[in-house]
Amino acid sequence: MEESSRSHIQAAYTDIDGTVTAYNTIFEFLRFDAAEHARAEEAEEFLAGLRTAAENGVPRSVTNARYFRWWRGRSVTEVAELGERWADLQDGRAADWAFLEPVVSILDAHADSGRRLVAVTASFEPALVRVRRRWPHLELLCTRPLVAGGKYTGGIEEALVGDAKARAVLAHALANNVDLAGSFAYGDHHSDLQFMALAGESLLVDAKLRVSATPVS
């Protein structure tokens, strides 16, 4: 009885920016928005402020939360439509918006094997349209902006970084009867190690030297 009740559902949990995409989805999505609204200079100043804060030791959870101030007061529907337009642009210039090996091919193999694909990312849904077009059944564990009256407030529920990623993966596995010991995880940053450690097999890829992918036990 114990053996028959044990879960055998497997999943592949993966970070996105620097692991699956060669670009930072939320930063580049913001730049796309700024270009549409003639705010390019303002956008670069805003992003430079986030980079400076990170270089000065401000935690990723804080800089991720600050990022969403850019979207304060914007219609959720409008930003969703913006995401579709950005994905259309990316699809038309695929060479400029590369997916990264080896994880892309690994995810393809997982999908072919019937495993669940789950993104674990600090990005948010409108910035991930093209990624979801690549894997239509991809599930999202991501940062969730707060909404009031159909508009973004500029706040978030929680930045999905570090231990928040691990908690999200645990909750997802529990809710979906996923066998974590038989599952897989991928990331490119030391902050991904907490959620990666939950999976039976994991791979930490080097963002600068893609060929030096390092297995993590």
Side-chain angles (χ1 to χ4, degrees), residues 12 104-117 134-137:
V104 168
S105 292
I106 293 172
L107 292 180
D108 286 341
H110 284 314
D112 290 343
S113 298
R115 296 187 180 96
R116 299 177 75 147
L117 302 185
R134 179 68 176 75
W135 294 282
H137 299 295

Side-chain angles (χ1 to χ4, degrees), residues 22-23 86-99 130:
Y23 53 92
W86 189 44
D88 289 342
L89 171 71
Q90 293 173 301
D91 287 341
R93 294 165 44 189
D96 296 331
W97 301 97
F99 289 116
R130 181 167 178 259

Side-chain angles (χ1 to χ4, degrees), residues 12 26 29 42 80 93 131 134 142 173 200:
I26 53 176
F29 183 50
E42 179 185 354
R93 294 165 44 189
V131 177
R134 179 68 176 75
C142 60

Side-chain angles (χ1 to χ4, degrees), residues 96-163:
D96 296 331
W97 301 97
F99 289 116
L100 292 171
E101 297 293 356
V103 176
V104 168
S105 292
I106 293 172
L107 292 180
D108 286 341
H110 284 314
D112 290 343
S113 298
R115 296 187 180 96
R116 299 177 75 147
L117 302 185
V118 186
V120 189
T121 174
S123 187
F124 73 134
E125 194 163 355
L128 297 166
V129 174
R130 181 167 178 259
V131 177
R132 297 190 84 179
R133 288 181 183 178
R134 179 68 176 75
W135 294 282
H137 299 295
L138 182 71
E139 302 169 53
L140 292 185
L141 302 178
C142 60
T143 300
R144 301 288 180 185
L146 296 176
V147 175
K151 295 183 178 182
Y152 290 120
T153 67
I156 60 173
E157 292 179 7
E158 180 180 36
L160 209 74
V161 300
D163 64 345

Side-chain angles (χ1 to χ4, degrees), residues 27 49-51 53-54 58-68:
F27 281 17
L50 297 181
R51 286 193 298 271
V58 175
R60 284 184 130 198
S61 58
V62 174
T63 56
N64 182 245
R66 289 178 183 174
Y67 165 86
F68 287 92

Side-chain angles (χ1 to χ4, degrees), residues 35 180 188:
L180 281 173
D188 74 313

Side-chain angles (χ1 to χ4, degrees), residues 178-199:
V178 172
D179 173 19
L180 281 173
S183 294
F184 306 80
Y186 307 96
D188 74 313
H189 190 268
H190 65 81
S191 64
D192 294 325
L193 292 175
Q194 293 179 67
F195 89 81
M196 293 171 64
L198 299 172

